Amino acid sequence: MVPFLKGLHLTLDSWREDRDEDGWRLTNAIKKKIDYLEKRVKPGKFVTMVTRFKDDMEAMLHLTRHKEPPKIPIRPTNSLATYHVGDASGSGYGATL
């Protein structure tokens, strides 16, 4: 679910300066961050929806559509273990299976 929250985060931060149309920060300069903190620009009443917002929210709705979380096994259901011995030299000298 975490990757799909990025569209929400980018939309919420779309009001900030130095953002492209997809909400990503254009620069990462420390000086601009310090200047920004000194300006203390207040956010507007509305934000601009970024391109991936709709797809991310549809994915979140799909993942959370169940009334109860689906049961997913976290332990293996079989106990088969194998051990393979081989030669990684490339010439095949001493190769075994």
Side-chain angles (χ1 to χ4, degrees):
M1 288 178 48
V2 173
F4 303 113
L5 291 174
K6 191 63 180 176
L8 176 64
H9 176 73
L10 291 174
T11 296
L12 291 175
D13 278 346
S14 67
W15 63 271
R16 298 182 188 275
E17 295 177 357
D18 293 336
R19 300 282 174 155
D20 66 3
E21 64 274 358
D22 291 327
W24 294 99
R25 190 178 322 133
L26 296 174
T27 60
N28 198 15
I30 298 293
K31 185 180 181 324
K32 288 190 177 188
K33 287 182 181 179
I34 292 171
D35 291 342
Y36 171 76
L37 289 174
E38 290 173 357
K39 289 180 192 176
R40 295 286 180 179
V41 177
K42 290 190 175 188
K45 202 170 196 176
F46 298 98
V47 294
T48 305
M49 187 172 66
V50 298
T51 309
R52 66 180 282 174
F53 180 77
K54 182 177 181 261
D55 293 333
D56 285 355
M57 291 303 107
E58 286 175 355
M60 290 288 286
L61 287 171
H62 179 74
L63 290 172
T64 58
R65 71 185 182 279
H66 302 289
K67 291 188 179 192
E68 294 196 19
K71 294 183 179 180
I72 300 172
I74 58 172
R75 301 207 185 273
T77 56
N78 61 19
S79 60
L80 176 65
T82 59
Y83 182 73
H84 297 275
V85 179
D87 183 15
S89 66
S91 65
Y93 179 75
T96 60
L97 285 178

